[in-house]
Amino acid sequence: QQQVKQSPQSLIVQKGGISIINCAYENTAFDYFPWYQQFPGKGPALLIAIRPDVSEKKEGRFTISFNKSAKQFSLHIMDSQPGDSATYFCAPSVDGNEKLTFGTGTRLTIIP
Amino acid sequence: DTAVSQTPKYLVTQMGNDKSIKCEQNLGHDTMYWYKQDSKKFLKIMFSYNNKELIINETVPNRFSPKSPDKAHLNLHINSLELGDSAVYFCASSRRESSYNSPLHFGNGTRLTVT
């Protein structure tokens, strides 16, 4: 079963542009909505996470937008930089539950 | 000063062999995990241990056997390796509390190639 759908699969954005990655989920019990960032040869690392009681969270150039009724959340990267080139995973879950369900990943490439 | 360290980083072996991957974390976490990332980058949990007790055991062939000698270590032993076992295996750790307070910390992975 496909509980988490992430799109697009790959994304190319020019330096300085806005990168947008989307995550759709089915399980209404999910209440923890993180995005992980993975560079080549490294493990994923938490980038930003949002609670379900807010619709938006911003940390520097990274923003999560959350739409509870649509069961979707998205990652926006403002002023995208070549150093942002990585694979991004959403991983919604039940808070405190050890089992994260990772999305299929989005390979982001920022071109000069 | 690596938080979650795995050894080896690369492992190339032939079909039918038995191999082990070791993982250690120095974060004081009580929960450790093994994840498998396939060639399409899809990440799937295999096992989770909390205080040396197995709490998640996904549908994984019983050729895979995790072992947690203490809270800081979780090893993965694989018997009778098959071509389909080729992947990157990630160890991770966290505290068993709110995910907001204790997200997953991943190691840098072990790339297993079975020939």
Side-chain angles (χ1 to χ4, degrees):
Chain A
Q1 81 260 33
Q2 179 67 330
Q3 284 194 35
V4 178
K5 290 184 182 176
Q6 194 174 327
S7 61
Q9 195 172 348
S10 62
L11 181 61
I12 299 173
V13 174
Q14 273 207 300
K15 180 182 172 184
I18 303 173
S19 305
I20 302 175
I21 305 170
N22 301 298
C23 186
Y25 60 95
E26 296 172 5
N27 190 339
T28 54
F30 287 159
D31 58 356
Y32 174 60
F33 302 96
W35 284 96
Y36 278 76
Q37 180 187 52
Q38 183 180 25
F39 293 107
K42 302 290 185 184
L46 178 68
L47 181 63
I48 186 172
I50 195 169
R51 295 179 186 274
D53 54 349
V54 297
S55 60
E56 188 174 282
K57 180 178 180 180
K58 186 174 180 180
E59 287 184 358
R61 296 184 295 107
F62 301 93
T63 300
I64 293 184
S65 295
F66 177 64
N67 186 331
K68 188 173 182 177
S69 59
K71 291 188 284 184
Q72 291 181 354
F73 63 111
S74 59
L75 175 68
H76 296 237
I77 307 174
M78 313 298 287
D79 186 26
S80 299
Q81 300 296 313
D84 298 329
S85 297
T87 301
Y88 292 81
F89 295 93
C90 63
S93 73
V94 175
D95 184 22
N97 188 317
E98 293 79 12
K99 188 175 173 183
L100 293 187
T101 304
F102 281 85
T104 48
T106 296
R107 175 175 270 184
L108 174 65
T109 304
I110 308 300
I111 54 175
Chain B
D1 229 37
T2 310
V4 181
S5 59
Q6 300 178 224
T7 53
K9 188 168 174 65
Y10 300 97
L11 187 51
V12 181
T13 188
Q14 290 186 321
M15 281 175 55
N17 284 349
D18 303 338
K19 289 293 179 187
S20 292
I21 307 172
K22 296 187 175 182
C23 178
E24 176 182 6
Q25 55 94 5
N26 63 5
L27 295 167
H29 290 166
D30 56 5
T31 306
M32 296 185 73
Y33 312 76
W34 280 109
Y35 277 82
K36 179 180 179 180
Q37 186 170 48
D38 63 21
S39 58
K40 294 183 179 177
K41 296 280 194 182
F42 187 59
L43 260 173
K44 190 166 165 35
I45 191 168
M46 300 173 68
F47 302 103
S48 173
Y49 268 76
N50 175 259
N51 283 321
K52 303 195 298 175
E53 182 187 344
L54 182 65
I55 53 173
I56 293 177
N57 185 352
E58 288 294 282
T59 310
V60 175
N62 57 16
R63 299 180 295 102
F64 290 79
S65 52
K67 263 205 173 71
S68 181
D70 56 57
K71 280 196 318 183
H73 296 84
L74 180 63
N75 304 323
L76 183 66
H77 188 76
I78 315 169
N79 288 329
S80 305
L81 278 154
E82 301 178 357
L83 291 176
D85 298 332
S86 295
V88 181
Y89 292 84
F90 286 99
C91 178
S93 72
S94 69
R95 284 193 308 271
R96 202 177 195 188
E97 57 176 86
S98 171
S99 305
Y100 292 97
N101 296 332
S102 184
L104 285 180
H105 289 256
F106 284 86
N108 285 331
T110 295
R111 182 176 291 277
L112 171 64
T113 304
V114 183
T115 61

